Amino acid sequence: TYRYTVTAGRGTHEWEPLTAIVRNASGSRERSVEVTAGTTMRCLPSLSSTADLPLRGLTTPYSGQVATDVGGSGIEFHSTRRYRHGDPLSRVDWNRYARTGELSTLSFREERAATVALLIDSREAAYVASGEDESNAVERSVEAAGQAFAALHKSGDRVGLANYGPRECWLPPGTGERHRAEARELLGTHPAFSVSPAD
């Protein structure tokens, strides 16, 4: 029995069939045999995050965790305004009405979801590393994109993937476990994010 351990990076790895050679003690006789076995191994990134990714600016109309400057039906107090016909009774400031007799409506800071597209530079010029045994910039970008994707997905934001390079890859922003699995598959096996530059 012959065993060995492999530490593999992200992607699909293939081995040629094994050739076993057996000789007698004197080496006068030799037998060679091809050993066929499963020779493909796929490694996908884990898509785990250790921290939240702070977002600000543009958001979608969907509820989420990004605090906005817009008043509405959130949790944190934002402002009051004069009551308008049709305002929900649950947002009427009844304490003020009891004190002054004036109807006013409470507004709360809305929290919305963001839409983010993570872009990875996979041009040939991006395949640079600080040393021979170090990960190149594309590998590090894919790892960072995986962590950012996991953090944004966990907070309920719509997140997608794209690349800037010779091979096109585009995953439109979305949510859900199926979307997360698709992103993991793309980051692990899509030719646009290969470990070495395209020919």
Side-chain angles (χ1 to χ4, degrees):
T1 304
Y2 183 79
R3 293 181 179 165
Y4 60 92
T5 303
V6 176
T7 303
R10 175 187 59 80
T12 302
H13 308 280
E14 294 187 11
W15 286 269
E16 296 294 325
L18 297 172
T19 302
I21 301 172
V22 182
R23 298 183 182 92
N24 62 3
S26 66
S28 61
R29 299 189 74 185
E30 179 179 284
R31 178 173 288 177
S32 174
V33 65
E34 293 285 320
V35 180
T36 56
T39 58
T40 302
M41 181 172 70
R42 292 179 54 211
C43 299
L44 300 177
S46 63
L47 289 193
S48 60
S49 65
T50 56
D52 292 334
L53 190 64
L55 293 176
R56 59 177 189 230
L58 299 176
T59 57
T60 65
Y62 307 108
S63 63
Q65 296 187 3
V66 180
T68 66
D69 291 331
V70 178
S73 57
I75 298 172
E76 181 185 348
F77 175 77
H78 181 263
S79 61
T80 59
R81 63 170 170 76
R82 176 172 260 154
Y83 176 82
R84 288 185 222 140
H85 182 68
D87 283 349
L89 293 177
S90 62
R91 293 197 13 222
V92 171
D93 187 354
W94 294 110
N95 291 332
R96 183 172 182 179
Y97 179 72
R99 276 193 325 266
T100 65
E102 295 178 16
L103 281 174
S104 61
T105 302
L106 296 171
S107 292
F108 299 91
R109 188 176 306 279
E110 289 188 351
E111 293 184 344
R112 294 186 178 165
T115 298
V116 179
L118 301 170
L119 180 66
I120 298 172
D121 184 357
S122 60
R123 295 173 297 163
E124 186 176 348
Y127 284 90
V128 293
S130 59
E132 195 172 307
D133 296 332
E134 298 293 324
S135 298
N136 60 47
V138 175
E139 274 294 292
R140 290 179 184 263
S141 296
V142 168
E143 183 181 336
Q147 291 180 8
F149 189 99
L152 292 166
H153 182 268
K154 187 171 77 174
S155 63
D157 296 310
R158 295 167 45 83
V159 59
L161 287 172
N163 80 305
Y164 179 59
R167 294 178 176 160
E168 186 177 317
C169 178
W170 168 243
L171 176 65
T175 57
E177 284 307 310
R178 179 180 231 163
H179 186 70
R180 184 181 189 277
E182 192 174 351
R184 184 174 183 234
E185 181 78 22
L186 287 175
L187 286 174
T189 61
H190 196 282
F193 308 124
S194 66
V195 179
S196 56
D199 295 335

